[in-house]
Each structure stands twice: as structure tokens, then as C-alpha cells.
Amino acid sequence: MDISALPARERILLTAHDLFYADGIRATGIDRVIAASGVTKVTFYRHFPSKDDLVRAFLDHRHARWMAWFVDALGRRGAHERAGDAGALLLLAEVMAEWFAEPAFRGCAFINSVAEVGGSVEGAAERAREHKREMVEVIASLLPAALPARVALAQAAALGVDGAIVKAQMGDAALAREAIDDLRRLLEALAATSRPASAG
């Protein structure tokens, strides 16, 4: 994507997004973001008075971007048609497999950011918690609305998703496939617990 024609603030934010996600927040200095986005220091600081402001904007942008992708990826696999069928949880494994196969995959930006700067950038941890809360909401929407343990099951599935993300991030394509297999087994077990027991 050619961002050269975008307004300065968007150029800075998109550049920071790619650099922060690929290389980490601490490893990416402001001067590098300025140079890569093609703006002056004055322009940069007019839009982002500090690096912390840029980090918060990055997390907000990443949240909107990733959630839109997540919902779309589920939709492309028929999530809307299968909503209410606990087996729809298995779509999460397919969606994660798609993401893990992307060359730019570097794990969850929110898990990474909390590990890096969660205690030092005001609002970072709160944004991460909100991101995960919304992910749980989307996962819950796959389950039957009347299911008593709907939220608890969605939280368990989300924990499995996060575990698979971390495992995939730690290795190569083979480890990513193993993470997907592990996640699928967990989702199958969770889906089985949400189905009513058959009459004896």
C-alpha cells in the first residue's frame, strides 16, 4: 500500500503500526518513524506530542483493524449462518491458521505491547483488556444465545486462541500448525460441553 499521498497523521500512524508490530515498540525510535513516514519532526510532534501518544494511537488503530479482519474472516467461513451452533467455534482454528500463514504475522500486538510497555505507557494495558473483551464478545456470538455458560465458554475459547497465537509466534510453520491442531482439539472439547446430553 502506497501511503505517500495520505495526510501526515495517517502516514505516521500507518508507518508506526508496521514498525511497532514487526520490530517492537521499544526497538522502534521516533526518529525512525519520522524518517520512514517522510515527515518533519515538527509535523510529527504536532500530531503526536510524545511516543506514548503514538503508542496509544497505534493500539487503537490495531484494535480496529484486527477486529474488522477477525469478524470478516469468520464471516467468510459462514459464521453468520452457523451462529448458534456450538460447532461454529471450530471456525476459530481456521481463522487463526489463515492469520498465522501471513508473512507479517508477529503474534498478538496487544500481548506483545503489554509485555513491552504495559506498565509504563498509560492506557496500554486497558486497551489490551478492551481488545480481548471484544474478541470474547465476537466468539460468544458463535454460541447458542440461550446457553447458560456462553460467556464462560467464549472466554475459554479466547484463552485457547491466545495460547495458540503465542505458540505460533515462538516457532516456524510446523509449530504454527501444531498450535492450530492444539487449538482445534480444545475447541472440539468446548463445543462438546455446550451440546445437550442425549437422552439415555
Side-chain angles (χ1 to χ4, degrees), residues 10 18 33 98 108 111 137 147 152 183 195:
E10 289 182 57
D18 292 351
V33 175
E98 176 184 325
C108 172
I111 294 173
E137 282 186 358
L147 188 67
L183 176 61
R195 296 188 181 101

Side-chain angles (χ1 to χ4, degrees), residues 45-133:
Y45 285 110
R46 185 187 318 128
H47 293 289
F48 301 100
S50 71
K51 186 175 181 180
D52 285 5
D53 290 311
L54 181 60
V55 170
R56 285 186 286 269
F58 154 68
L59 292 172
D60 290 341
H61 174 75
R62 179 69 184 183
H63 170 69
R65 178 171 163 168
W66 194 89
M67 289 304 301
W69 170 82
F70 184 52
V71 170
D72 177 69
L74 286 167
R76 285 187 275 111
R77 288 167 173 80
H80 303 300
E81 294 78 7
R82 294 185 62 181
D85 168 12
L89 281 179
L90 297 178
L91 297 176
L92 294 168
E94 296 177 27
V95 168
M96 290 300 108
E98 176 184 325
W99 184 30
F100 296 172
E102 291 181 5
F105 173 74
R106 296 293 182 275
C108 172
F110 295 88
I111 294 173
N112 296 346
S113 296
V114 167
E116 275 200 274
V117 301
S120 60
V121 174
E122 185 180 351
E126 289 80 2
R127 282 166 169 80
R129 286 194 293 271
E130 179 63 16
H131 174 75
K132 296 303 179 183
R133 187 193 64 76

